[in-house]
Amino acid sequence: MKNERLFPFERNKYFYGKLLTVRDLQLEQKYVNDKRRLINRLLHGAGIVCGLNVVYVDDQTISVENGMALDYGGREIVVDKPIIKKLPMIEGFDKITDQTSAYLCIAYDEEEKEPVHSIANSSMNYEEVGEFNRYKEGYSLYLNPKEPNIEDLSLKRIVEEEVIIYKDRNVTIKHLTPRFANPLEEMQMLVCVEKHGEVKNIEFRYDVELEHFTTKNGEKFLRIEFNEKNLGDKEYYEIPYILKANNVKQVKGTIKFNPDTFRMTLGDTNYYTEFSKINTVEIITEDIKDKVIERYYQLNMDELVECTDKQEIILAKIDFIKEGSHYIIQRVVNNPLNQYILNTELKHILEDLKDKELVTHAIKDSGKKAASDHIHSSETNPLQTGLNMASGTAKIDFGIEPKYKKIYYSDEIVHGLGIGDANIQTAIEVVGEDTASIENEKLIFGDKELFKELDTLPVIPKVNIGVIAYPKKGTFRIGVQLQETTDVTEINIKWWAYKKVLSTEDIEKKEIEVIINPDVANVTCRSKVNFTATVKGTDNQECIWKLNEEKAGSIDQNGVFIAGNVPGVYEIIAESKEDSTKQASAFVVIEED
């Protein structure tokens, strides 16, 4: 299929006496197909919907189970019955020369069937075939010795960046980093190592230079070392490294591979590379999920439905030993590029499982205190002096059909007391029909069954309540788990948030200390250096950057210093925003070019 546009849409206008031609009837099919395919592409994506598992049969044979996929043009690929084939019988096998692996691909295909005589061609004999009466939709299977690149097609490009730093016939090494990070928060960088064929005992090392990031030890470079002997013999490895973003805002941090430090050993052979590669991460103050959604909706429709000519869905990666016309299948890896499409029901199931795992530890069990450090129960006495308080009501919606043992969650609630530890207390709010009567307003703490004989309560389901707080954001969420079947579709949870008011003595007792790294930097005129500040003794890491002399150059809110044109020694000051009396100094030596 060519790179066709699925829009704009045009359909037939019928009227009495209209002469229908082949063009009109073809347009009728195209209109329906293009609309359905556009919906498939934009709402569901591309990948395997169900089935299509590739099964190892013997040393020379594979089987593809029946199933369905959607390609990047939104077209349905349906395999109605299992296929069993030997590798040489699959298209593309003859193009595999010295490779030891290949990718089994499936693509949409169609063929003409039912040959018929065309009465429009008078020059033909009646017995001769002029046209075909049907199109049969199907598929084609083929082997591709090259690893397909679907990064431009997948929406994963919005949330992560994959950079290949080294690749040859033996091994591929990649860096996988998120697109976004928050200041002073940790993020994970993955070093991915994929072997090709019968390669063993890979060993390599190299350095990565960090800008606006540090390691756990506060260093601005990271040493990557890999020795397969210590990890066992596998085909694919993922080695995680934790990096921390500096206290900067709205800048692009970089993770730069230094090719001069790269050394790789395979057996007795050493390998090198000359090419520098960079991963870029935007350091933002916004919520990362919100930023991803914003970035998605900045894409126009042409960007989302482009490349409709790239149709292949990768079913499996097949590793084998091939010697001339002889071969042996070693391994079959299904869907190596994770081209899956989840249906709506499966998404809901996975979301439920994820939510249960997220706050299982936050649900109260028979009045016992939850174990999380950030879960605050109602056992703490709120009637203390020196507290700031906020309160509100959260409505928990159980939906049309409440489910026993299911956990329901509130939206993220801002309690308004600022960042830092806060105590959250909750109760079930009961309001009777007569809102003017004080007898009809009740708050139930703990087990409502204790008050059956003492008071008449409306129908309230038995629930467990938990709270998960986010001290660095000044927010929290409420989780409610149904402990019995009920017809009640919603419940109101009253909440109170308490936070200690710091007195002047408390503030003075806090030992706030500002540390600048590096403390001394040697630069040339008009060059740039990045300073970072760590504020100990407080959660507030914000600093105000200053220069003691204007001719030193300039420094922005992120600590990025650009040297001026006058050589000399100049002082750089970082002042704590929380306590302006707490400062630290660093010195920059500007030398002549």
Side-chain angles (χ1 to χ4, degrees), residues 195-235:
K195 299 194 302 183
H196 310 303
E198 287 295 296
V199 181
K200 291 185 178 181
N201 298 332
I202 298 175
E203 184 178 353
F204 62 77
R205 70 178 186 276
Y206 56 86
D207 290 342
V208 171
E209 299 169 3
L210 306 175
E211 183 175 10
H212 299 307
F213 288 98
T214 58
T215 65
K216 282 187 173 182
N217 298 326
E219 297 175 333
K220 292 187 176 182
F221 79 96
L222 177 66
R223 169 62 59 87
I224 306 294
E225 293 183 307
F226 178 86
N227 190 336
E228 192 178 14
K229 292 179 181 178
N230 302 328
L231 300 172
D233 186 14
K234 297 191 292 186
E235 300 295 323

Side-chain angles (χ1 to χ4, degrees), residues 251 530 545 554-562:
V251 300
N530 180 38
W545 292 91
S554 64
I555 189 166
D556 66 12
Q557 64 173 347
N558 297 316
V560 177
F561 170 77
I562 299 177

Side-chain angles (χ1 to χ4, degrees), residues 483-495:
Q483 295 298 303
E484 61 185 6
T485 57
T486 181
D487 293 327
V488 176
T489 58
E490 63 183 36
I491 191 172
N492 289 330
I493 304 296
K494 182 78 174 181
W495 60 265

Side-chain angles (χ1 to χ4, degrees), residues 476-579:
F476 66 96
R477 291 181 73 184
I478 298 173
V480 175
Q481 184 181 47
L482 284 173
Q483 295 298 303
E484 61 185 6
T485 57
T486 181
D487 293 327
V488 176
T489 58
E490 63 183 36
I491 191 172
N492 289 330
I493 304 296
K494 182 78 174 181
W495 60 265
W496 297 264
Y498 301 92
K499 187 178 179 185
K500 185 178 179 182
V501 179
L502 294 179
S503 64
T504 305
E505 292 181 356
D506 291 330
I507 295 174
E508 290 176 354
K509 287 178 183 178
K510 292 174 67 177
E511 296 182 1
I512 296 178
E513 181 185 4
V514 182
I515 300 172
I516 300 179
N517 185 32
D519 53 359
V520 178
N522 292 75
V523 299
T524 57
C525 295
R526 297 174 299 281
S527 61
K528 182 175 74 172
V529 62
N530 180 38
F531 289 90
T532 59
T534 303
V535 185
K536 294 185 176 181
T538 176
D539 292 330
N540 189 351
Q541 296 292 305
E542 291 189 79
C543 285
I544 299 172
W545 292 91
K546 300 177 182 179
L547 296 173
N548 67 336
E549 296 183 56
E550 289 186 5
K551 62 182 180 180
S554 64
I555 189 166
D556 66 12
Q557 64 173 347
N558 297 316
V560 177
F561 170 77
I562 299 177
N565 296 315
V566 182
V569 179
Y570 301 96
E571 183 182 10
I572 293 175
I573 301 169
E575 176 185 295
S576 169
K577 259 196 173 181
E578 181 164 321
D579 184 351

Side-chain angles (χ1 to χ4, degrees), residues 376-443:
H376 306 276
S377 75
S378 60
E379 293 178 12
T380 303
N381 180 13
L383 301 177
Q384 302 176 38
T385 59
L387 294 179
N388 278 336
M389 189 197 78
S391 64
T393 301
K395 181 179 288 186
I396 308 296
D397 188 359
F398 297 146
I400 299 175
E401 297 182 0
K403 295 181 179 179
Y404 170 62
K405 285 293 184 181
K406 182 174 180 180
I407 305 172
Y408 299 86
Y409 305 97
S410 69
D411 294 331
E412 194 166 335
I413 301 168
V414 180
H415 52 60
L417 300 180
I419 61 174
D421 291 335
N423 181 284
I424 312 295
Q425 187 176 29
T426 60
I428 300 174
E429 186 178 63
V430 180
V431 180
E433 295 181 2
D434 184 6
T435 56
S437 173
I438 60 173
E439 296 294 330
N440 286 321
E441 294 185 11
K442 302 180 180 71
L443 295 172

Side-chain angles (χ1 to χ4, degrees), residues 320-452:
F320 50 82
I321 300 173
K322 187 172 185 284
E323 187 66 39
S325 59
H326 302 286
Y327 65 93
I328 296 175
I329 297 175
Q330 284 188 308
R331 187 176 66 140
V332 175
V333 180
N334 275 283
N335 204 348
L337 303 183
N338 290 316
Q339 292 175 292
Y340 286 113
I341 297 176
L342 304 181
N343 65 42
T344 304
E345 182 180 7
L346 183 56
K347 284 181 181 177
H348 286 317
I349 292 172
L350 294 176
E351 286 172 1
D352 285 346
L353 289 174
K354 182 178 179 181
D355 286 340
K356 286 178 181 178
E357 182 180 353
L358 177 68
V359 297
T360 296
H361 61 286
I363 300 300
K364 296 178 184 177
D365 184 13
S366 301
K368 293 182 180 179
K369 184 178 180 181
S372 171
D373 289 340
H374 291 164
I375 305 301
H376 306 276
S377 75
S378 60
E379 293 178 12
T380 303
N381 180 13
L383 301 177
Q384 302 176 38
T385 59
L387 294 179
N388 278 336
M389 189 197 78
S391 64
T393 301
K395 181 179 288 186
I396 308 296
D397 188 359
F398 297 146
I400 299 175
E401 297 182 0
K403 295 181 179 179
Y404 170 62
K405 285 293 184 181
K406 182 174 180 180
I407 305 172
Y408 299 86
Y409 305 97
S410 69
D411 294 331
E412 194 166 335
I413 301 168
V414 180
H415 52 60
L417 300 180
I419 61 174
D421 291 335
N423 181 284
I424 312 295
Q425 187 176 29
T426 60
I428 300 174
E429 186 178 63
V430 180
V431 180
E433 295 181 2
D434 184 6
T435 56
S437 173
I438 60 173
E439 296 294 330
N440 286 321
E441 294 185 11
K442 302 180 180 71
L443 295 172
I444 302 174
F445 297 85
D447 190 354
K448 72 181 182 69
E449 300 296 323
L450 301 177
F451 306 99
K452 274 187 174 181

